[in-house]
Amino acid sequence: MRHFAVVGSGPAGFYTAEALGKAYGEQARIDIIDRYPVPYGLIRFGVAPDHQSLKAVSKRYDKVAESPGVDFIGNVTVGRDVAVEELLELYDGVILAIGAPHDRKLGIPGEDLPGVVGSAEFVGWYNGHPDFADLNPPLDGTHAAVIGNGNVALDCARILSKTRAEFDGSDIVGHALEALDGAAIRTVTILGRRGPHQIAMTPKELGELGHLEAAAPLVEGADFPPLQADDALEPGQRKSINILREFAATAPDVSKPKRMIFDFFARPVAIEGDGKAERIIVERTELDESGAARGTGETYEVPASLVISAIGYSSPHIDGVPYDERGGKFRNEGGRIADRLYAVGWARRGPTGTIGTNRPDGYEVAELVAAEMPVGSSSDRRGAEGLKQLLEQRGVMATDYDDWRKIEETEAGRARPGSPREKFVRAEDWLAALGR
Ligand SMILES: Cc1cc2nc3c(=O)[nH]c(=O)nc-3n(C[C@H](O)[C@H](O)[C@H](O)COP(=O)(O)OP(=O)(O)OC[C@H]3O[C@@H](n4cnc5c(N)ncnc54)[C@H](O)[C@@H]3O)c2cc1C
């Protein structure tokens, strides 16, 4: 028998557990440990609440959690409640799948002003992440800006621009829905350091902007290279650029009161305001020979009382685990960090790729584990039994699969009209739902 601890119950954690289960069958016990009593990582706290079909992937993860030999241990933060070193004593293999939950800093003056938030904070706020329940982003100004040219930036801009009715069927949390419904924001500027060809936005997410009830996208035709340059793009990117070109060619629908302005070749150099964010100072850029953004020296102001930076994420440090500062992830080679210690998903690769990208990643690392600890081999490590004993001694109230289900059922029972559930937004409410 082998015992494996998969730390983190996001996509990477579940795909790894699935792969280990397939490889070892009855010869391994796999514990999926998470800091929260509810699983799924960014599927719950990141993926946009109005993209319910994407969140349905969690049904596959449920099957993994229900399979024999797999257990869920929630409400346990590795690195705080239990050290990685201790897990390595209890388990044959420890796989870190803790994602990359921290916002990268902009590194410009004014980024600590009230009104400037990271996308992890803003997204967490509307998705019911307990760390951001009290974020209260300022929504009383008419102008907001999102810094970044990826899908997360698009999510933030779209959520700021939707009407209440457009959230029907979503699981946006009530506090965010109310606040957004009362928001005064009419213009959202999306700032990118480079041009349309360099975006990291996918066609589906871009296309949605053309069909919003109250908001219209605005793109400057002069920002594009000549049409023939699109031929060199890979097909998905070409599709995205086509959508942007269509936006540029269409006169904005004046019946829509809100605008989403794509401001390309725009590098924020400072955020200014009287005790809070009021404007971004932006430097116009151009592409240099290597395709990087080069400042032109010309600056201008973009008004914004809410500034959301969506420029990437990093994993947290965990004591004793080597870290790659530049990549914002654990130092690893093909998923291997050290003897019997591995990383998968964003903790392994950094914050790129889709949910599906984590699948081959998890399977690859499971293969590596199985090569190092062949199926049929065994050890006398104690696994969950030892972990639970340790947690009890420390007064850590671990939760299990039944607790997770009970919380989800309670949330579903609190659903308001037009929403499948009302998520709890405070950690203590999860435990209260369990009567603890
Ligand atoms: C805002 C946003 C929107 C996105 N939208 C999409 C989309 O529409 N489509 C798409 O394909 N992809 C989307 N993605 C990407 C997708 O969410 C990621 O590829 C995926 O979630 C990464 O999986 P992961 O398991 O590595 O990390 P995560 O999903 O972050 O999971 C990490 C897990 O580890 C747990 N954890 C963290 N620290 C500890 C600790 N110390 N101890 C115990 N547990 C811990 C966390 O609670 C969490 O459950 C989005 C990402 C973001 C940020």
Side-chain angles (χ1 to χ4, degrees), residues 55-84:
K55 296 197 178 210
V57 69
S58 64
K59 294 205 167 61
R60 175 174 178 159
Y61 306 155
D62 293 351
K63 288 215 171 75
V64 176
E66 284 155 15
S67 55
V70 176
D71 269 328
F72 177 75
I73 303 177
N75 209 31
V76 176
T77 300
V78 171
R80 187 194 67 185
D81 300 328
V82 58
V84 166

Side-chain angles (χ1 to χ4, degrees), residues 106-113 116 145 147 191 266-273 276-283 299-304 307:
L106 285 165
I108 59 173
E111 75 170 310
D112 294 322
L113 282 172
V116 184
I147 301 172
L191 296 155
R267 173 162 62 202
V269 290
I271 300 167
E272 293 181 349
K276 58 183 169 63
E278 289 174 6
R279 72 196 84 84
I280 308 176
I281 309 300
V282 178
E283 181 180 22
T299 59
Y300 58 99
E301 291 181 7
V302 170
V307 179

Side-chain angles (χ1 to χ4, degrees), residues 146-160:
V146 184
I147 301 172
N149 263 184
N151 278 339
V152 175
L154 281 186
D155 278 355
C156 294
R158 186 181 72 255
I159 295 290
L160 283 173

Side-chain angles (χ1 to χ4, degrees), residues 8 10-12 34-36 41-42 46 54 76 78 97-99 345-346 354-355 358:
D34 204 283
R35 61 189 294 214
Y36 299 120
L42 285 170
L54 278 169
V76 176
V78 171
I98 66 163
W346 279 16
T354 62
I355 296 165
N358 300 292

